[in-house]
């Protein structure tokens, strides 16, 4: 039985899609065109990803969060020390998952893989980003946000994940693995294009009437589109890449803007949230600002693997 808050949030989610779906389509279409322009390709060389001892694995992850300051280090260490990270626990759909409730400030992290390598560490850097969001912002500010309310839900976790991969590169911990995982992240953004295209192509004028609890859309022919996750992950990584570009890779100097973004994202509209970062909404839609990241990663991998 759904309560009134959830039903109201679902209606707001549908209203948002009615207003912004074509805008999001333009955004992801522009992004995919930029991938095509550099002949971007999948590089599934995951055997190149570095493996670690359990001690080194934990030390590197905590050292990364320590670069943000003592409170970030202590939060990440709490999840390690209190057994709040559960490795090798299979979930239905996700490699990693952060689980919490509106009634507690802490949660638990589930990770499907139990190998100590850069891929698993990268997943944990993402899920710990959700922990930061909950414990430092959502819970202290009593932001009562339902599953549907936050179109930028994945931005904080994507921000910490992308910066982690660049930490691996700059610290020369795993440069090869970081390049491969950044490539995978850049491709993940493009997945939203296909979902939005399928929904826009549907002939029904009531395409959002059959949204299920996971935010998936059922088309008029009965096909279910896994819509919400691809949209939120796409926007999350896409926005995090713009943040990284705006701070020229020096994420520690950008924390004030980051705080403002995640603190106000419930109250601010989509366009205001972006312009408050210091970028026009038109530039954000065009993808032009993040083209250098796309080009650099594609060129690096093509040279390294003779593609």
């Amino acid at each position: 039985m759904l309560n009134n808050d959830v039903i109201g949030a679902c209606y707001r989610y549908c209203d948002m899609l009615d207003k912004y779906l074509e805008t999001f389509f333009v955004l992801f279409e522009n992004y995919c065109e930029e991938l095509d322009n550099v002949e971007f390709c999948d590089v599934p060389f995951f055997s190149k990803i570095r493996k670690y001892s359990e001690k080194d694995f934990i030390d590197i992850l905590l050292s990364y969060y320590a670069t943000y300051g003592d409170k970030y280090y202590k939060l990440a260490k709490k999840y390690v020390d209190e057994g709040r990270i559960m490795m090798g626990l299979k979930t239905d759909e996700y490699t990693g998952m952060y689980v919490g409730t509106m009634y507690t400030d802490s949660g638990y992290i589930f990770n499907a893989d139990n190998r100590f390598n850069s891929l698993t560490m990268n997943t944990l850097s993402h899920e710990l980003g959700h922990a930061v969001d909950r414990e430092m912002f959502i819970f202290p500010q009593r932001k009562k946000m339902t599953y549907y309310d936050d179109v930028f839900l994945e931005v904080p976790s994507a921000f910490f994940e992308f910066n982690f991969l660049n930490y691996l590169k700059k610290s020369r911990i795993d440069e090869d693995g970081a390049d491969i995982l950044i490539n995978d992240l850049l491709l993940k953004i493009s997945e939203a294009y296909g979902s939005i295209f399928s929904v826009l192509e549907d002939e029904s004028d009531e395409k959002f009437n059959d949204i299920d609890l996971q935010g998936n859309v059922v088309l008029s022919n009965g096909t279910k589109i896994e819509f919400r996750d691809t949209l939120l992950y796409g926007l999350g990584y896409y926005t995090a890449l713009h943040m990284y570009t705006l701070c020229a890779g020096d994420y520690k100097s950008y924390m004030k803007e980051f705080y403002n973004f995640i603190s106000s994202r419930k109250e601010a509209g989509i366009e205001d949230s972006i312009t408050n970062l210091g970028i026009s909404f038109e530039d954000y839609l065009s993808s032009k600002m993040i083209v250098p990241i796309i080009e650099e990663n594609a060129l690096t991998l093509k040279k390294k693997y003779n593609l």
Side-chain angles (χ1 to χ4, degrees):
M1 189 74 177
L2 297 179
N3 63 40
N4 289 334
D5 286 343
V6 174
I7 293 172
C10 188
Y11 280 127
R12 290 194 297 274
Y13 176 71
C14 293
D15 290 342
M16 180 276 295
L17 292 179
D18 278 332
K19 181 177 180 180
Y20 282 102
L21 190 63
E22 292 191 10
T23 300
F24 292 149
F25 177 77
V26 170
L27 180 156
F28 290 114
E29 183 177 45
N30 289 337
Y31 178 79
C32 289
E33 285 179 0
E34 297 299 345
L35 293 186
D36 289 340
N37 289 340
V38 298
E39 297 180 344
F40 205 86
C41 59
D42 191 8
V43 184
F45 300 142
F46 289 99
S47 61
K48 300 290 185 180
I49 290 174
R50 182 179 168 184
K51 302 176 180 64
Y52 309 92
S53 67
E54 182 176 358
K55 180 181 182 305
D56 287 346
F57 179 92
I58 294 171
D59 287 347
I60 292 168
L61 185 62
L62 294 181
S63 295
Y64 164 63
Y65 270 91
T67 64
Y68 292 92
D70 193 50
K71 64 180 179 179
Y72 292 89
Y73 169 77
K74 287 181 177 177
L75 187 150
K77 193 171 188 301
K78 177 182 77 171
Y79 275 74
V80 172
D81 292 346
E82 295 182 2
R84 292 179 176 272
I85 299 176
M86 301 182 184
M87 306 277 284
L89 188 64
K90 301 294 184 182
T91 60
D92 290 338
E93 301 176 23
Y94 304 104
T95 304
M97 180 185 295
Y98 179 84
V99 178
T101 75
M102 66 178 68
Y103 305 107
T104 59
D105 62 344
S106 291
Y108 291 86
I109 293 171
F110 302 144
N111 194 77
D113 204 337
N114 59 4
R115 292 173 294 180
F116 297 111
N117 58 26
S118 293
L119 174 60
T120 304
M121 202 185 305
N122 182 55
T123 302
L124 295 184
S125 74
H126 178 103
E127 301 307 332
L128 282 167
H130 283 302
V132 169
D133 190 18
R134 167 165 292 278
E135 298 201 20
M136 295 186 183
F137 298 95
I138 292 177
F139 193 82
Q141 295 175 358
R142 296 296 190 267
K143 286 187 180 291
K144 196 176 176 185
M145 298 196 299
T146 72
Y147 189 71
Y148 292 100
D149 267 328
D150 188 5
V151 73
F152 291 126
L153 176 69
E154 293 295 331
V155 173
S157 50
F159 177 82
F160 284 102
E161 180 181 353
F162 187 72
N163 288 326
F164 171 72
L165 293 175
N166 282 281
Y167 173 79
L168 288 184
K169 288 185 66 173
K170 291 182 177 180
S171 302
R172 296 188 173 181
I173 295 170
D174 185 10
E175 293 176 88
D176 290 346
D179 285 331
I180 291 167
L181 291 170
I182 289 172
N183 189 82
D184 192 56
L185 181 155
L186 294 172
L187 284 172
K188 187 177 291 185
I189 296 172
S190 67
E191 293 174 4
Y193 174 77
S195 294
I196 296 175
F197 180 80
S198 296
V199 172
L200 285 175
E201 285 288 288
D202 190 59
E203 297 178 354
S204 172
D205 292 329
E206 300 178 346
K207 57 175 64 75
F208 299 138
N209 284 2
D210 292 318
I211 291 181
D212 65 17
L213 285 176
Q214 285 71 48
N216 300 317
V217 176
V218 180
L219 303 182
S220 57
N221 63 5
T223 302
K224 180 185 288 188
I225 302 294
E226 294 183 0
F227 187 79
R228 181 183 177 277
D229 280 352
T230 54
L231 175 63
L232 295 199
Y233 281 109
L235 288 174
Y237 288 118
Y238 184 84
T239 306
L241 288 179
H242 281 82
M243 289 178 167
Y244 185 82
T245 303
L246 286 165
C247 67
D250 183 10
Y251 58 86
K252 288 179 285 186
S253 70
Y254 195 70
M255 295 310 289
K256 180 179 179 180
E257 290 82 357
F258 176 72
Y259 294 158
N260 290 339
F261 179 88
I262 60 177
S263 296
S264 64
R265 68 187 190 270
K266 181 179 181 181
E267 295 79 14
I270 291 174
E271 295 178 41
D272 286 342
S273 292
I274 297 304
T275 55
N276 289 341
L277 290 175
I279 176 176
S280 73
F281 196 63
E282 290 75 18
D283 287 343
Y284 175 77
L285 295 180
S286 74
S287 298
K288 295 299 183 185
M289 181 176 287
I290 59 176
V291 167
I293 296 176
I294 298 171
E295 291 178 335
E296 179 185 358
N297 187 259
L299 183 61
T300 297
L301 290 173
K302 285 176 181 179
K303 286 183 176 180
K304 189 175 293 185
Y305 299 109
N306 194 29
L307 299 175

